[in-house]
Amino acid sequence: MIRAWIGAIGLSLMATQALAADPLEIGVGYLRHAGVKPTLSLVAQPAANDGVAGALLAIEDNNTTGKFLNQHFTLTEVRLKEGEDVAAAASQLAEHDGYIVLDLPADEVLKVADALRARGTVLFDAGSIDDRLREQDCRANVVHVGPSRSMLADALAQYLVWKQWKRWLLVVGSHENDKLYADALRRSASRFGAKIVQERTFEDTGGARRTDSGVTLIQRQMPVFTQQAPAYDVLVAADESEVFAAYLPYRTWDPRPVAGSAGLVPTSWDAAHDQWGAIQIQNRFLKLNSRHMTALDMQAWTATRMIGEAVSRTDSGDPKVVFQFIKGKDFSVAAFKGQRLTLRDWNLQLRQPILLADGRMVVSVSPQEGFLHQVSELDTLGVDRPETKCKLQ
């Protein structure tokens, strides 16, 4: 009896000492450019804290759990000025943060990955959708949290094929990213049995996007641009550069739906998403930021939550230990999408459903019913294991 009592006191003292010990400090960096890219629509202009607001919400979530596990998470944001060396900025962040969330173009993601390869810093790509980062230019220290361009295109194609809208008029912008999106859409059409009946290119002439006579000019221009097309079911626009696609709905010569960069848009997240408990995080984000949560916000939130989940599961802040767990079969993260998300081990891309939204409602969620896969239906979106060119290095 006395021994049991002494043992209980000993356990109590150990627990008290553990609680009194300094918490495990986990530093997360966030690297992006200063300023945001304007959009055609005035109501869709990105906020100054687009992306980083999602990461901060995840830090709050991580610390809620961390209080019970004696773990504490912090976020350090770095905004790159024009001409600033991205590799140097990342290296400076890596001196005190073992994890960095990146909202950068593909070329800069590669620069950071190569610069920090020897440090063991774990990078989370939240902003670039380029397939080459997951394929021929993949890196072993970069986790891709946002969907790839091919995942977005496949998600859209599955729905259009499910609807039996298999004849596409493809309109492509004149910028490089527009052409990459068009490549992904062509691949998706071929993959799922759609037919591109004709392609047209919309040249960016560099004129003013908004003028006093803009509505009148656009109302005349778009019908003329889309007339005399072969019979088609849906106009699919590849316009990542935000030049023309937003002007297409309700202005085409033939009364047809628009999809791709306008109309029905594939995305990782939408402010209208309210299923699978999403309304909870939407409301919390709105209360904190007085605006709705964007796809970039959600991608940054997911990246930061992946870190928190892995740290809590491993009870370690060591990036090597945490990264090994994230890449393992036991890791998954909940992100309000109806199922837990896991990592593709062949290219470190996060598997995830893709929302199809029209700007006011979520119309559908891909993968669609009937598109089967021997491992995971989520692997019907994007480049599958047998197709991959990635050799992690």
Side-chain angles (χ1 to χ4, degrees):
M1 186 74 166
I2 294 175
R3 288 180 181 176
W5 181 66
I6 293 173
I9 292 175
L11 287 173
S12 177
L13 287 172
M14 289 172 62
T16 303
Q17 289 171 356
L19 289 172
D22 291 335
L24 178 66
E25 293 289 344
I26 310 297
V28 180
Y30 193 100
L31 187 58
R32 64 170 179 144
H33 284 277
V36 292
K37 177 185 174 184
T39 62
L40 281 178
S41 170
L42 286 176
V43 299
Q45 298 300 307
N49 64 348
D50 190 22
V52 72
L56 286 169
L57 180 60
I59 289 289
E60 183 178 290
D61 294 339
N62 289 349
N63 282 329
T64 298
T65 305
K67 284 190 298 185
F68 301 98
L69 300 175
N70 208 28
Q71 300 165 353
H72 184 253
F73 296 80
T74 56
L75 186 78
T76 303
E77 180 192 5
V78 172
R79 300 188 187 188
L80 295 165
K81 299 175 183 177
E82 188 174 352
E84 190 171 352
D85 187 340
V86 65
S91 296
Q92 188 172 356
L93 257 181
E95 290 180 6
H96 51 82
D97 294 332
Y99 314 90
I100 301 178
V101 179
L102 303 176
D103 174 18
L104 299 171
D107 287 341
E108 294 185 352
V109 171
L110 292 175
K111 287 181 182 179
V112 172
D114 292 341
L116 300 184
R117 187 196 305 267
R119 281 182 177 266
T121 308
V122 187
L123 306 174
F124 292 81
D125 168 29
S128 177
I129 63 174
D130 279 36
D131 279 276
R132 67 186 179 97
L133 291 181
R134 287 89 167 162
E135 292 301 307
Q136 64 269 27
D137 291 332
C138 64
R139 296 293 188 269
N141 57 342
V142 182
V143 175
H144 302 285
V145 183
S148 66
R149 197 175 271 112
S150 63
M151 290 171 67
L152 297 171
D154 283 350
L156 178 63
Q158 283 189 12
Y159 180 75
L160 297 181
V161 169
W162 182 83
K163 283 288 292 178
Q164 297 297 312
W165 295 344
K166 295 184 178 181
R167 297 175 300 175
W168 300 359
L169 173 61
L170 179 61
V171 181
V172 184
S174 56
H175 295 274
E176 188 60 33
N177 283 351
D178 306 333
K179 296 173 184 177
L180 291 173
Y181 190 20
D183 288 342
L185 289 165
R186 293 185 196 101
R187 171 186 171 276
S188 298
S190 175
R191 191 180 195 192
F192 298 116
K195 180 181 180 181
I196 298 173
V197 299
Q198 190 179 76
E199 291 191 26
R200 297 185 178 186
T201 301
F202 192 100
E203 294 289 343
D204 183 5
T205 58
R209 296 187 181 188
R210 297 189 184 95
T211 63
D212 290 341
S213 58
V215 171
T216 302
L217 291 173
I218 294 163
Q219 188 167 320
R220 292 173 180 170
Q221 181 184 16
M222 289 305 169
V224 172
F225 177 76
T226 56
Q227 71 177 335
Q228 295 181 340
Y232 67 99
D233 301 315
V234 56
L235 188 153
V236 181
D239 178 34
E240 290 186 11
S241 303
E242 286 263 348
V243 172
F244 68 92
Y247 296 137
L248 285 168
Y250 310 108
R251 294 189 175 104
T252 56
W253 183 270
D254 299 304
R256 298 290 184 271
V258 174
S261 296
L264 186 66
V265 178
T267 180
S268 66
W269 192 258
D270 188 82
H273 180 47
D274 60 358
Q275 297 185 63
W276 306 303
I279 194 69
Q280 174 257 116
I281 193 172
Q282 299 274 31
N283 287 339
R284 288 176 56 225
F285 186 91
L286 182 62
K287 183 177 180 180
L288 285 172
N289 298 284
S290 301
R291 66 172 179 84
H292 293 292
M293 195 173 197
T294 67
L296 183 58
D297 287 319
M298 189 58 188
Q299 288 159 199
W301 181 90
T302 304
T304 312
R305 277 294 298 128
M306 289 174 71
I307 299 166
E309 178 71 15
V311 168
S312 66
R313 293 285 298 278
T314 60
D315 194 26
S316 173
D318 185 345
K320 290 182 180 179
V321 174
V322 169
F323 193 26
Q324 199 62 36
F325 180 74
I326 288 175
K327 293 187 290 183
K329 294 182 179 179
D330 294 331
F331 176 79
S332 64
V333 63
F336 307 97
K337 289 189 174 183
Q339 54 188 298
R340 298 183 73 82
L341 312 186
T342 59
L343 207 62
R344 292 173 177 161
D345 58 10
W346 63 89
N347 63 359
L348 304 185
Q349 168 66 56
L350 189 68
R351 295 180 177 96
Q352 58 193 283
I354 301 297
L355 311 182
L356 302 169
D358 66 357
R360 294 185 64 84
M361 297 293 291
V362 174
V363 175
S364 187
V365 182
S366 288
Q368 296 293 317
E369 181 181 358
F371 292 88
L372 305 178
H373 192 276
Q374 62 270 32
V375 177
S376 169
E377 291 181 2
L378 292 175
D379 285 341
T380 63
L381 306 178
V383 178
D384 200 0
R385 185 190 300 273
E387 307 168 285
T388 188
K389 299 175 184 176
C390 175
K391 296 181 180 179
L392 292 170
Q393 53 185 343

